[in-house]
Amino acid sequence: MEDRISERLSENEARIRRLCRGCDDIIIRKMAPGMPEPVDCLIVYIESAVSNMMLEDSVIGKLLNHLWELPARDIRRVISENGAGISDSSEFTSLEEAMDAMLAGNAVFFLDGYGKALKISSQGYPGLGVSKAESEKVLRGSREAFSESVKLNTALIRKRIRSTGLKVEENSVGLRSNTVTALVYMEDLVRPELLERIRQELQNICIDAVPDSGILEQLTERFSWTPFPRFQTTERPDQASMAILEGRIALLSDNSPVALLLPTTLNTLMKTGDDYYGGFEIASLLRCIRYLALFLAFSMPGLYLAVTGFHPQLLPTALALSLAEARAGVPFPGLVEILFLEISFELLREAGIRMPGAIGNTIGIVGGLIIGQAAVSANLLSPVVVIVTALTALGSFSIPNEELSEAIRLLKYGMIVLCGILGIYGFVFGWFLLLIHLCRLESFDIPYLMPYVASSRDGISAVTDGILRGPLQKLAFRPVFTRPGARRRYRKNTGQKAYSGSDSKVRTHSENGKTDSRK
């Protein structure tokens, strides 16, 4: 079908509504100025990018207000003669160009009987007032963070994915709070069964209020005994956008500056936003360091107890004698030492979080130094235990996702007890239980250990983006979250721009790289 704008407004409106179906953040406002017989016109814009005040204050906005006073026969003539000459306006004859201008943060005006569209320029997507990400800091990449307004948050995602294929489904959850939630996804990438399931889970929620997205996280996941998160939380719009382009769904909640990404896996929780902004060599090294940090956070205290308490023969003689000398005079067994220092560190961490501003950081640093030094000087703890606890804390801090870090901190105490009782056998048994649990765990029917298990699902291997990250040219396929048949994401430029409109020819690429043109 030809992409030119029709002179019949009803045809343009039908095509626009078809393109924007499921985009609740896109406003399609119909008006009828003119007298005595009105002429239909249409304004299309993104709610958070174009304000009503802008429409009133712009030059073309004032022209639109003047149209209400004109006879119907003069409206098209005035628009034709004055529309293109306005400083903040430009004309489009193609619907694709008009929709691109709208997705860039402008308003677009259509008039019945006028075969062109007028762009109403605006300041674009929100920038001022958007805070920096505090809990997910990166060295390279965007510094913007989500706010507590779901409208602003959807606009920050729309700013990065300017396509009508990006759908925003808004719903109200909470019998008394009526909290606005938004499902954000790519229509042609998301798995239909996943989308239908999360829709059903949201509809089944019956609760007084939803003050934060954490309530949605607990009520929409199937209950199971696991501390591992089945939702990935992020306060970064760029990371949410990258997840959406992989076929995942972002769940936003009003009054919450955090987006929930689903489904999730252990691999996605260990990635950071800037893994893809630099070279693959550095990204691979940093990922290896993070997995080493996860091992230290979970295993270091237990491994110390197992080796020093039950199997000192595993250590070199000089190191074993040094550890024995360091523990000389300590009245407590190693298990009590480790538990005492770990719990003390948790108290310091909690106190640092609850205290305001810089006082919290001071308490964490000074408190740790004072308590550790005083305990060693009083011969209550050995210096080696302080070092082991410090390495464990550094490992937990190096895990990118806070929910995963909390899960490892919790399971760490189980490993400490097992190693303190069974020695190295407890260490092996603890890891055995953890791996069995992770192998059985799923997030919305996706194995939690993807891509390390079932790596060739749908006939496409995804191991090039696991612990090691391959070059971007080798990451030609999206992860397993994407619906089958739409997993290719990287290809050579064919010289034609792909348009996601349902009334245009969409150039798609099959998994084997061949081009398929279809309506």
Side-chain angles (χ1 to χ4, degrees), residues 201-216:
E201 294 289 348
L202 289 175
Q203 292 175 0
N204 293 337
I205 293 178
C206 185
I207 193 172
D208 283 344
V210 180
D212 186 79
S213 58
I215 302 295
L216 295 176

Side-chain angles (χ1 to χ4, degrees), residues 232-438:
Q232 181 181 358
T233 59
T234 181
E235 62 175 7
R236 299 180 55 85
D238 60 334
Q239 188 163 348
S241 301
M242 292 176 65
I244 292 171
L245 292 174
E246 292 178 345
R248 301 167 71 188
I249 298 175
L251 177 56
L252 305 174
S253 174
D254 212 5
N255 307 315
S256 175
V258 174
L260 302 179
L261 305 178
L262 62 109
T264 191
T265 63
L266 180 66
N267 186 42
T268 59
L269 296 175
M270 294 297 291
K271 296 179 182 178
T272 62
D274 53 357
D275 276 356
Y276 299 94
Y277 302 152
F280 70 96
E281 303 93 345
I282 299 299
S284 299
L285 173 62
L286 294 179
R287 286 188 186 180
C288 292
I289 291 175
R290 291 186 208 121
Y291 277 92
L292 175 62
L294 188 147
F295 175 83
L296 293 177
F298 178 66
S299 305
M300 191 67 179
L303 187 60
Y304 168 78
L305 289 177
V307 172
T308 58
F310 294 86
H311 308 280
Q313 66 274 14
L314 297 176
L315 299 174
T317 303
L319 179 58
L321 293 175
S322 177
L323 294 178
E325 182 180 356
R327 280 193 46 81
V330 176
F332 304 111
L335 179 60
V336 175
E337 274 189 284
I338 289 289
L339 288 176
F340 171 77
L341 201 54
E342 287 287 348
I343 293 175
S344 300
F345 192 84
E346 294 292 342
L347 289 174
L348 288 172
R349 186 202 301 255
E350 188 68 15
I353 293 175
R354 303 305 166 195
M355 292 298 291
I359 300 178
N361 298 330
T362 304
I363 287 179
I365 297 174
V366 177
L369 291 174
I370 293 176
I371 292 178
Q373 182 62 38
V376 171
S377 300
N379 214 21
L380 297 177
L381 301 174
S382 64
V384 180
V385 172
V386 177
I387 297 174
V388 169
T389 305
L391 288 176
T392 304
L394 288 176
S396 66
F397 287 142
S398 300
I399 298 176
N401 185 269
E402 181 63 25
E403 284 74 18
L404 178 61
S405 176
E406 291 174 352
I408 296 299
R409 283 164 50 196
L410 176 63
L411 296 176
K412 168 187 64 181
Y413 291 100
M415 177 66 84
I416 290 174
V417 173
L418 284 175
C419 292
I421 296 175
L422 301 177
I424 201 68
Y425 300 104
F427 178 80
V428 175
F429 185 58
W431 269 103
F432 183 71
L433 291 179
L434 177 64
L435 292 177
I436 288 179
H437 178 70
L438 291 176

Side-chain angles (χ1 to χ4, degrees), residues 67-184:
L67 295 182
W68 293 90
E69 305 171 357
L70 293 176
R73 63 180 181 274
D74 294 336
I75 289 181
R76 296 184 183 90
R77 179 182 59 81
V78 171
I79 290 294
S80 177
E81 294 177 356
N82 301 315
I86 298 175
S87 59
D88 64 346
S89 172
S90 57
E91 289 185 338
F92 302 108
T93 58
S94 166
L95 183 61
E96 178 180 351
E97 294 176 348
M99 297 304 290
D100 286 344
M102 182 272 296
L103 294 171
N106 304 292
V108 181
F109 175 76
F110 298 85
L111 181 68
D112 191 25
Y114 187 67
K116 298 179 181 179
L118 290 178
K119 181 188 74 173
I120 306 175
S121 299
S122 76
Q123 296 180 352
Y125 289 95
L128 296 177
V130 179
S131 60
K132 292 184 178 181
E134 295 294 337
S135 61
E136 298 177 79
K137 295 183 178 180
V138 294
L139 297 178
R140 187 173 182 178
S142 174
R143 298 295 191 269
E144 288 182 338
F146 284 126
S147 70
E148 295 186 2
S149 169
V150 69
K151 298 291 186 181
L152 181 57
N153 293 342
T154 55
L156 290 173
I157 295 178
R158 179 78 67 180
K159 175 183 175 182
R160 290 163 171 81
I161 308 177
R162 301 181 181 182
S163 167
T164 53
L166 179 70
K167 303 302 179 182
V168 179
E169 295 185 9
E170 295 183 354
N171 298 281
S172 294
V173 181
L175 300 178
R176 291 178 171 82
S177 65
N178 287 318
T179 304
V180 177
T181 63
L183 284 177
V184 188

Side-chain angles (χ1 to χ4, degrees), residues 8-60:
R8 297 180 59 184
L9 184 65
S10 58
E11 293 183 5
N12 296 329
E13 182 181 2
R15 293 166 64 187
I16 291 171
R17 291 191 182 276
R18 185 164 60 249
L19 286 172
C20 300
R21 183 179 63 250
C23 302
D24 294 339
D25 60 331
I26 296 179
I27 304 300
I28 304 175
R29 179 171 297 174
K30 196 170 183 179
M31 300 182 298
M35 48 191 306
E37 295 181 1
V39 178
D40 292 334
C41 62
L42 198 70
I43 292 185
V44 185
Y45 59 92
I46 296 175
E47 185 176 8
S48 298
V50 179
S51 65
N52 292 331
M53 185 65 67
M54 189 283 301
L55 291 176
E56 295 176 0
D57 294 342
S58 66
V59 178
I60 196 170

